[in-house]
Amino acid sequence: MQKIIQSLIVAFVLNISINSQSIVNYTNSALPLEDRVEAILKELTLKEKVMMCHAVAKFSSGGVPRLGIPELTMDDGPHGVRAEVLRDSWNAAGWNNDSCTVMPALTCLAATWNTDLAKLYGNVIGNEARWRNKSIMLGPGVNIYRIPLNGRNFEYMGEDPYLASRMVVPYIQGVQEKGVASCVKHYMANNQEYMRGSINVEMDDRALYEIYLPAFKAAIIEANALSIMCAYNKFRGSYCSENDFLQNQILKKDWGFKGVVISDWGAVHSPKSAINGMDIEMGSHPSKYSDYYLADTFYLALKKEDIPMSVVDDKVRRILRVILQTALKENRQWGAFTTTEHFAASRKIAQEGIVLLKNEKAILPIDTKKVKTIAVIGENADRKMSLGGGSAELKAKYEISPLQGIINAAGSSVKVTYIPGYATRRNTNAQNAVALAKKSDMVIFVGGLNHDYLEDCEGGDRLSMDLLWGQNDLIDQIMSVNSNTVVVLISGNAVAMPWLNKVPAVLQAWYAGSEAGNALADVLFGKVNPSGKLPFTFPAKLSDCPAIAKGAYPGNDTNVIYKEGIYVGYRYYDTYKVNPLFCFGYGLSYTQFEYSNIILSKPLIKTSDTLIVSFTIKNTGALMGGEVAQLYIKDVLSSLDRPEKELKAFTKVFLNAGESKNISMKISKEALSYYSTTKKGWFAEPGDFEVMIGASSKDIRLKAAFILQ
């Protein structure tokens, strides 16, 4: 009774002209969600329904003030909550309390291979978005790493659909349990930035279902993502924003998606979007929101009955489901912003994501008893990476640079001196850097890429895998005067390393967020034992990349055909015996791990069975460390082409020196299946299979065989 009275008072104040029963239905969270949705829907005018289907501000879609229904407020991006912009402009709002915690880029998260950290990551994003009163966070991104040139690869989770699927589910769950919706993106096949606004993507059904859809499917079905964002490009002849096959057939019919499809900003091209699955149009280019395709044009088509009323009602139901689980969620948490715990989480994820690629003569971790002078060289040592990348750009509360982190860790016993040596679009004096390197005990070269337009940035692809701005020459010069050199690469993409045979130690440090420098120093000085593994392959040369080798990138400016099919990343390199620079799943440690004693629960299984694979991992070194055990499956004799191996399970385990642990992983029919283009579904073909347990896709330590009946 008290809730009814309170609701009636609110209705009176807002001049709401609906009956008290309807008020109870949509404000009482004890009632079924669908009942509350229907209670609101029947009170809406057509104008109000249409208003909810398009933007009314740069980052808001329409609400219904008459009924107390708020706008849906949205924000970029996957790595933190973007700084506030003016309501109708991209210009900064000038707030002094919107400086966020910057989380590591999603490539770094994927490199942790730690699903618990993915959940933690999502919790931080959800907490900060809630504190900023956002209903939807525009992320995470799960587009597959197809080529090492894509400017937005740093925003995604690597080349393998299984790894991306396992990491995206806890991320989304972490965000949404804070009362904020995740908007998984970019659906579908946005795997290059070159011509992204118009290029038409063609691929076969096996590539579609086995490689490019699984992470989206997991986000929707397993994580219950409340929203999804369409991509800019076309798919099989139709823009993704108006693609009936992608949105109505796969997403809403096959997967049973009940949430909201949101356009990328400016991705809607015609009124067809309304009937082909688009629910909210954002960021279109007309100066007036009423000129959007899902605004007045949509309203008039509904009025004339050119479009059935059921179309708009379906959209509004979807929008209301999101609003009731976010902005109107009862007892919604207040959230938190830039807390000590959030920065600690950012540092922890960065620590576990850093990948040790090379460590000859164990020059790492740095021994401060022997190393008394360190030359830090390279622009990236003192460059803030949160300030670029397109929609991933963030306003950081603070960002610890690699240089500052190294100084912090070195303390008073080691002298640290910095010279840029190279700089983006500026001339520098490399001779001074080489002179400093010559007189120092150790050199830490911090290079790689940045968020400059020609590097890792939305809106463009790199032109090659080479490091720019003279970095390769500078590394060669440094090595000629000081062989005790560590190269730290900051990037979200693979890069060429012509100097690799000369340099004794290499670290892949990613874009690692607010605590990037401290996390890097933790690894360099041995406070943390590196445990990251690559979520994508580093090819030895660009021409080895399957899409490049097949002449399937960048397309002809009209179409791009994925001629490599399912052979993306390690599936191609391993099957066709192409040696990469560093393989998928690769990463070293300061300790060593031994694998032994593989046991299968059954030598012969039925499709209804679950196979249990057990084995032992032992830390045989002198330091505690983390190892990612990876399980791959090989179909020994198949009636159609299948990859040499495919990742189907993994686990990350931390062991003290000398400690052993028994590991068990489960394999079901789904892990053995391929998509049949003739049967239009998944099929597990009976026959011989092989289980491979490894420390990477190429470092296979254990094997065992079984038969599927």
Side-chain angles (χ1 to χ4, degrees):
M1 180 60 70
Q2 184 179 5
K3 180 173 282 291
I4 294 174
I5 294 172
Q6 290 173 338
S7 299
L8 287 171
I9 293 172
V10 171
F12 176 77
V13 172
L14 295 175
N15 193 26
I16 298 174
S17 58
I18 59 178
N19 63 66
S20 60
Q21 183 61 40
S22 295
I23 298 172
V24 173
N25 282 343
Y26 83 80
T27 60
N28 184 0
S29 61
L31 294 174
L33 176 65
E34 295 304 315
D35 290 353
R36 298 161 65 204
V37 167
E38 295 302 321
I40 302 173
L41 183 66
K42 71 181 183 181
E43 303 295 340
L44 297 172
T45 67
L46 180 57
K47 275 282 188 184
E48 289 168 339
K49 291 177 182 179
V50 171
M51 184 69 73
M52 299 178 75
C53 297
H54 64 83
V56 296
K58 283 296 183 186
F59 281 94
S60 296
S61 58
V64 186
R66 181 178 66 85
L67 300 180
I69 307 300
E71 296 177 358
L72 266 179
T73 55
M74 311 172 195
D75 208 302
D76 288 318
H79 311 133
V81 188
R82 186 176 183 161
E84 204 70 22
V85 298
L86 296 175
R87 183 170 175 84
D88 298 310
S89 165
W90 290 108
N91 293 330
W95 290 12
N96 60 10
N97 62 345
D98 59 346
S99 300
C100 70
T101 304
V102 181
M103 301 299 286
L106 290 186
T107 43
C108 183
L109 174 63
T112 70
W113 293 60
N114 188 330
T115 55
D116 291 338
L117 291 187
K119 178 70 175 293
L120 176 64
Y121 193 122
N123 279 160
V124 173
I125 295 295
N127 246 336
E128 300 220 342
R130 172 66 191 98
W131 191 88
R132 289 273 302 281
N133 201 30
K134 307 301 179 183
S135 297
I136 299 178
M137 280 300 288
L138 303 174
V142 291
N143 293 104
I144 292 296
Y145 188 106
R146 177 177 178 253
I147 53 165
L149 304 180
N150 181 5
R152 297 192 82 171
N153 275 336
F154 74 95
E155 295 185 51
Y156 305 140
M157 296 187 177
E159 72 187 27
D160 183 72
Y162 181 81
L163 174 61
S165 297
R166 294 309 92 214
M167 296 300 287
V168 75
V169 168
Y171 177 112
I172 292 171
Q173 291 170 335
V175 172
Q176 294 191 164
E177 69 183 21
K178 301 298 181 181
V180 175
S182 265
C183 183
V184 64
K185 62 185 188 182
H186 305 89
Y187 183 70
M188 220 301 281
N190 183 188
N191 303 109
Q192 64 187 64
E193 288 296 280
Y194 179 76
M195 300 293 292
R196 70 174 185 180
S198 60
I199 198 79
N200 176 53
V201 176
E202 297 284 349
M203 68 174 74
D204 62 42
D205 275 352
R206 281 195 70 195
L208 174 65
Y209 285 96
E210 293 187 22
I211 304 297
Y212 296 99
L213 283 180
F216 287 105
K217 183 177 181 180
I220 299 305
I221 294 179
E222 296 182 52
N224 189 33
L226 294 176
S227 59
I228 189 169
M229 181 189 289
C230 79
Y232 282 115
N233 52 279
K234 294 178 182 178
F235 181 78
R236 294 180 177 173
S238 298
Y239 281 107
C240 290
S241 62
E242 56 191 47
N243 196 296
D244 177 72
F245 173 63
L246 290 178
Q247 297 183 158
N248 287 333
Q249 297 301 310
I250 293 180
L251 182 62
K252 295 182 177 180
K253 182 181 178 182
D254 295 350
W255 296 350
F257 178 58
K258 299 295 185 184
V260 174
V261 180
I262 301 173
S263 77
D264 206 337
W265 270 232
V268 175
H269 295 268
S270 80
K272 288 191 298 184
S273 296
I275 60 172
N276 286 345
M278 183 56 57
D279 298 316
I280 299 179
E281 179 183 1
M282 296 298 298
S284 292
H285 301 301
S287 58
K288 294 189 298 182
Y289 298 117
S290 58
D291 289 339
Y292 281 25
Y293 292 109
L294 266 66
D296 286 357
T297 300
F298 186 34
Y299 174 77
L300 292 174
L302 290 161
K303 284 283 285 185
K304 292 190 297 183
E305 299 185 356
D306 292 340
I307 296 177
M309 197 63 64
S310 60
V311 172
V312 70
D313 285 349
D314 178 70
K315 298 181 191 306
V316 173
R317 285 187 179 97
R318 294 171 179 278
I319 294 166
L320 289 173
R321 289 184 192 115
V322 175
I323 291 175
L324 288 170
Q325 294 177 82
T326 58
L328 287 182
K329 183 178 181 180
E330 193 173 45
N331 299 320
R332 191 182 182 206
Q333 300 178 31
W334 284 104
F337 207 64
T338 58
T339 65
T340 300
E341 292 78 12
H342 289 181
F343 289 117
S346 182
R347 184 169 181 168
K348 173 68 173 171
I349 293 163
Q351 289 169 342
E352 284 200 32
I354 291 171
V355 182
L356 180 61
L357 297 176
K358 186 177 180 181
N359 193 23
E360 282 186 354
K361 300 178 181 178
I363 74 166
L364 292 177
I366 298 169
D367 185 349
T368 56
K369 294 179 181 178
K370 298 178 180 178
V371 175
K372 294 300 180 183
T373 56
I374 295 176
V376 177
I377 298 171
E379 181 189 60
N380 277 359
D382 197 34
R383 184 183 182 116
K384 295 196 184 309
M385 295 298 181
S386 60
L387 299 176
S391 60
E393 178 179 330
L394 295 168
K395 181 180 176 182
K397 180 71 173 290
Y398 68 78
E399 182 181 344
I400 303 297
S401 69
L403 174 61
Q404 187 60 55
I406 291 167
I407 292 171
N408 293 344
S412 59
S413 62
V414 179
K415 182 181 179 182
V416 177
T417 307
Y418 171 63
I419 290 181
Y422 80 92
T424 305
R425 302 185 186 280
R426 289 185 291 115
N427 294 324
T428 59
N429 192 335
Q431 292 181 346
N432 291 341
V434 175
L436 175 63
K438 186 175 182 179
K439 65 182 183 180
S440 301
D441 294 336
M442 173 176 275
V443 177
I444 300 176
F445 179 88
V446 186
L449 308 178
N450 57 47
H451 293 314
D452 185 78
Y453 177 72
L454 292 177
E455 305 199 21
D456 284 341
C457 187
E458 179 181 3
D461 290 344
R462 298 159 64 205
L463 302 179
S464 77
M465 285 177 56
D466 294 333
L467 295 177
L468 299 180
W469 323 119
Q471 292 181 67
N472 290 333
D473 287 343
L474 181 54
I475 292 172
D476 282 340
Q477 291 180 59
I478 290 170
M479 287 303 303
S480 70
V481 299
N482 193 330
S483 62
N484 201 33
T485 294
V486 178
V487 172
V488 175
L489 295 170
I490 296 176
S491 74
N493 257 313
V495 301
M497 304 182 199
W499 34 259
L500 182 62
N501 290 336
K502 304 174 186 176
V503 175
V506 183
L507 282 168
Q508 177 64 31
W510 316 108
Y511 302 109
S514 286
E515 288 283 338
N518 285 334
L520 173 62
D522 290 338
V523 171
L524 287 170
F525 287 88
K527 182 178 179 179
V528 169
N529 192 344
S531 62
K533 300 276 189 173
L534 292 179
F536 54 81
T537 305
F538 276 51
K541 56 184 184 297
L542 182 60
S543 59
D544 287 343
C545 172
I548 305 296
K550 298 288 185 179
Y553 169 84
N556 62 7
D557 291 356
T558 301
N559 299 296
V560 57
I561 302 172
Y562 287 17
K563 298 176 184 178
E564 72 278 9
I566 62 170
Y567 291 98
V568 177
Y570 71 91
R571 287 169 168 78
Y572 172 81
Y573 294 97
D574 290 353
T575 303
Y576 292 96
K577 314 302 180 189
V578 178
N579 288 324
L581 191 65
F582 294 106
C583 68
F584 173 77
Y586 174 86
L588 301 175
S589 170
Y590 294 152
T591 189
Q592 299 82 41
F593 298 95
E594 178 182 271
Y595 292 65
S596 64
N597 196 32
I598 186 169
I599 299 172
L600 304 186
S601 58
K602 297 177 182 179
L604 186 145
I605 64 171
K606 301 175 182 178
T607 54
S608 58
D609 291 339
T610 297
L611 180 69
I612 308 297
V613 182
S614 302
F615 56 96
T616 300
I617 297 182
K618 182 178 181 179
N619 182 344
T620 59
L623 299 172
M624 189 276 279
E627 173 70 331
V628 178
Q630 303 159 41
L631 186 154
Y632 297 85
I633 291 289
K634 177 180 181 179
D635 189 342
V636 177
L637 184 61
S638 175
S639 61
L640 82 170
D641 287 346
R642 298 196 70 178
E644 172 68 17
K645 64 175 76 74
E646 296 179 279
L647 181 73
K648 296 299 178 183
F650 64 86
T651 189
K652 190 164 192 176
V653 57
F654 290 88
L655 300 171
N656 293 318
E659 183 182 4
S660 298
K661 187 171 183 178
N662 294 323
I663 306 295
S664 291
M665 298 182 181
K666 296 180 180 179
I667 295 297
S668 62
K669 172 187 173 182
E670 287 71 25
L672 310 179
S673 301
Y674 61 82
Y675 185 83
S676 170
T677 56
T678 56
K679 297 181 180 181
K680 300 297 180 183
W682 292 89
F683 179 65
E685 187 175 45
D688 294 342
F689 286 82
E690 190 171 51
V691 175
M692 305 178 185
I693 305 295
S696 73
S697 62
K698 294 187 75 68
D699 185 7
I700 301 301
R701 307 289 184 90
L702 303 171
K703 295 182 179 181
F706 67 95
I707 298 172
L708 175 67
Q709 287 185 314

